[in-house]
Amino acid sequence: MRNSGPRSGYILALVMGILLVLGILLSALLRLPGGLRHLVMRESREVQKVYDAESALLLHLESMSSALLPGVPPVWHADVGPYGRLCSGDSSLQVCVMTVSALQKLDFGEWLTGVQAYRARLREGILSAPGLRRYSGNRRFFDVPGNAYMMVNDGDLRLDFSGSMKSLNAYVSGDVTVEGSVRFDTLRIFSLGNVRMGGNVCVGFLETVGNESVEIGGQVHFRGIAVAGHEIVLRGNAVAEYPSMAIAIGQNGTSVTQSDGVVFSGLRASLPGNIVAEDSVMPSFLGGSPVIFEREVLR
């Protein structure tokens, strides 16, 4: 059983400190003029909501009962590719955190089961999307596609255009090439062959699976995950922001290679075999203790 005694004491001390500060602020409000008092009271209520939501998240992350702080809002969880997303709050204000998992020792079977489940979710998420456009044979796009979800049967897909696109999600039976000078907020690719990314491509959130291989080079800049059945090649001046994941997993002959010009922050794993993890993190879909890497307040 995990021993959370010292950490629980720290959390409770932090909560009591915040309550003391709130009490001092509220007492000062009584001496303010009416109009200003109304404004400050409104801000105080918002601060209280943020405090309640963050308290609920802290209790959840520490596996502590919400009964320790009665009245805190519920916490809900969603999987976002290799990351976990935890949110708490109400309809007017929510606090959300993005998490990965702390590195843990897993055997090959556990890695394989986790990655296969992730691949299945990505595939299903693309193919079951409303508005999925189906193509047959090779497809090339030299302008921004008009649809966000596509399936290419019996052919390859080439994306080579300039501009920006909020989201593109593609399932392809052949190979995929992504080039040009383009910004994707979200790019999800599931290829039964090879995936190659180059040019001046920027991806805010990347999920890419290549049954054979994934190659990322040129000036590609991204944060997210790449999964391949045989090899992943990182070359050129590619930049992968923390916490990114590059996982090559198969029964034999897997590799993840990186050239000198590449900046990669996160996890690189070729399995069975070698694991290199910056700050000791791994995908949240493999379980383990959550590690927060991003926080946002939604109003």
Side-chain angles (χ1 to χ4, degrees):
M1 181 179 292
R2 183 176 161 193
N3 182 6
S4 61
R7 299 187 69 181
S8 301
Y10 168 76
I11 296 299
L12 291 176
L14 176 62
V15 168
M16 293 305 296
I18 295 175
L19 286 174
L20 177 61
V21 172
L22 288 174
I24 294 172
L25 289 174
L26 289 174
S27 66
L29 290 177
L30 300 176
R31 298 189 293 272
L32 292 175
L36 182 57
R37 182 187 305 172
H38 176 75
L39 176 62
V40 175
M41 285 295 293
R42 186 178 64 185
E43 293 297 320
S44 177
R45 286 192 295 269
E46 186 166 295
V47 169
Q48 181 67 47
K49 287 185 177 182
V50 172
Y51 159 73
D52 289 342
E54 290 189 332
S55 297
L57 292 171
L58 284 170
L59 291 173
H60 181 87
L61 289 167
E62 292 297 322
S63 300
M64 298 167 64
S65 172
S66 60
L68 290 171
L69 288 175
V72 296
V75 174
W76 56 96
H77 173 270
D79 292 316
V80 184
Y83 310 136
R85 181 179 172 87
L86 293 169
C87 293
S88 183
D90 59 23
S91 58
S92 64
L93 186 147
Q94 296 175 12
V95 178
C96 296
V97 295
M98 298 293 290
T99 67
V100 286
S101 291
L103 187 65
Q104 57 182 318
K105 187 175 182 180
L106 300 176
D107 61 33
F108 176 73
E110 292 172 310
W111 274 93
L112 186 61
T113 298
V115 171
Q116 286 178 336
Y118 163 71
R119 286 165 47 95
R121 286 194 301 272
L122 178 61
R123 179 182 183 277
E124 181 63 21
I126 297 173
L127 294 180
S128 64
L132 177 71
R133 181 75 179 272
R134 299 174 185 271
Y135 298 98
S136 182
N138 295 334
R139 289 288 159 173
R140 297 181 179 182
F141 291 89
F142 298 107
D143 292 306
V144 177
N147 51 295
Y149 289 85
M150 64 178 69
M151 176 182 181
V152 179
N153 277 321
D154 301 321
D156 302 331
L157 172 65
R158 183 181 183 90
L159 305 171
D160 188 355
F161 53 86
S162 298
S164 62
M165 191 170 185
K166 185 174 180 60
S167 177
L168 179 63
N169 309 265
Y171 178 88
V172 183
S173 65
D175 297 335
V176 177
T177 301
V178 183
E179 292 183 324
S181 180
V182 58
R183 159 80 191 192
F184 296 97
D185 289 351
T186 298
L187 178 63
R188 294 184 175 96
I189 294 173
F190 194 112
S191 166
L192 299 184
N194 305 285
V195 178
R196 178 182 175 274
M197 298 181 64
N200 186 18
V201 176
C202 182
V203 185
F205 176 55
L206 174 69
E207 292 185 82
T208 180
V209 168
N211 269 10
E212 297 298 326
S213 69
V214 174
E215 178 183 323
I216 300 176
Q219 305 292 326
V220 175
H221 192 129
F222 73 96
R223 184 172 76 178
I225 184 170
V227 176
H230 294 293
E231 68 171 349
I232 295 177
V233 179
L234 305 166
R235 63 176 62 196
N237 295 305
V239 175
E241 293 184 2
Y242 176 86
S244 291
M245 319 280 174
I247 303 173
I249 185 166
Q251 296 298 327
N252 52 60
T254 62
S255 65
V256 177
T257 59
Q258 175 179 323
S259 65
D260 291 340
V262 173
V263 177
F264 191 96
S265 300
L267 171 80
R268 287 168 288 145
S270 55
L271 299 159
N274 188 42
I275 298 176
V276 178
E278 180 178 301
D279 292 338
S280 300
V281 297
M282 63 197 308
S284 63
F285 59 69
L286 291 173
S289 301
V291 177
I292 296 173
F293 68 88
E294 188 174 275
R295 169 191 176 275
E296 64 177 336
V297 178
L298 304 176
R299 293 175 174 85

